[in-house]
Amino acid sequence: MTTAFASRTRPFASPHPIKQLKQDIVKLKKQRFLERDYRIAELIESAPSDNKDRMYWSMVYDLEEAPTVTGRQMILEHGIVPVPLQELSATADLHDEMWTIIEALAKCGVYLVNTNHLCDRDLYARLFYKILDEPCRMMPPASEAAEFIDCLHPMDVEYPLGQQVPVFTQADASAPKKEDPYVRGPECNVIGKLCSRDAYLPKPW
């Protein structure tokens, strides 16, 4: 059980100026949301008289015009600067850091799916060196929208382990029930063996 969602459970002191970085990203986020409101108002004003629906033009902006942001930037809002993989020699520390990032992404409306074919170290490497630097749309305030990142790379499915990963839309009998308290998944340290991590990943529902 985590003591706090999107928080490290191990003793940890970051070498980065976390407070300032967090303030900077929150300031940027507020500025972008002000620009969003201004641009949506422009779209509504220039729209035909029979198409002034704010929800429609908000969706147009969010899907087509909203500036992009990386996952690495988004989780700064929660005071998280990921630790480089080579600094996480202990499996318990790696597991803690990986789930802290997974949870911080979830708080930003970004969710991982299809991770069972990756051990903790491989998934963390994919997070740190690829996923966290991919651009995505910044979610609007109080948004119920969610973005899913599929960790089953097209090249993974060319090999037996990747072919055994069920797509995330299928029901997982081992998944904790919705009413169950949230817990992190168990450590997955065996390379070449499916794990049960997907059943424990945060979900928007």
Side-chain angles (χ1 to χ4, degrees), residues 18-33:
I18 296 298
K19 184 176 180 181
Q20 184 60 52
L21 291 171
K22 186 174 180 179
Q23 290 174 347
D24 291 345
I25 196 65
V26 169
K27 182 178 179 180
L28 173 63
K29 188 175 180 179
K30 289 180 178 179
Q31 179 60 37
R32 286 193 172 179
F33 287 154

Side-chain angles (χ1 to χ4, degrees), residues 83-94:
V83 176
L85 182 61
Q86 66 271 15
E87 300 294 330
L88 297 166
S89 56
T91 57
D93 291 351
L94 174 67

Side-chain angles (χ1 to χ4, degrees), residues 116-118 152-166 191-195:
N116 281 352
H117 60 303
L118 300 169
L152 187 63
H153 191 277
M155 294 186 69
D156 291 334
V157 297
E158 299 294 329
Y159 294 87
L161 200 64
Q163 293 171 3
Q164 297 177 55
V165 179
I191 298 174
K193 180 181 178 180
L194 285 178
C195 66

Side-chain angles (χ1 to χ4, degrees), residues 104-203:
L105 286 171
K107 291 185 76 169
C108 299
V110 179
Y111 301 87
L112 302 187
V113 297
N114 295 333
T115 72
N116 281 352
H117 60 303
L118 300 169
C119 69
D120 286 353
R121 188 160 293 274
D122 287 345
L123 177 57
Y124 190 82
R126 196 165 291 190
L127 277 167
F128 190 87
Y129 294 112
K130 187 176 190 297
I131 292 173
L132 287 177
D133 293 316
E134 291 178 336
C136 58
R137 299 293 181 184
M138 182 176 283
M139 299 296 178
S143 172
E144 294 184 0
E147 179 161 341
F148 294 92
I149 296 179
D150 191 346
C151 297
L152 187 63
H153 191 277
M155 294 186 69
D156 291 334
V157 297
E158 299 294 329
Y159 294 87
L161 200 64
Q163 293 171 3
Q164 297 177 55
V165 179
V167 295
F168 80 99
T169 52
Q170 293 177 345
D172 189 337
S174 64
K177 295 180 177 60
K178 189 174 182 179
E179 61 271 17
D180 291 342
Y182 171 78
V183 293
R184 291 177 171 178
E187 289 186 15
C188 304
N189 299 318
V190 180
I191 298 174
K193 180 181 178 180
L194 285 178
C195 66
S196 59
R197 186 187 303 108
D198 288 353
Y200 298 86
L201 291 174
K203 299 172 180 63

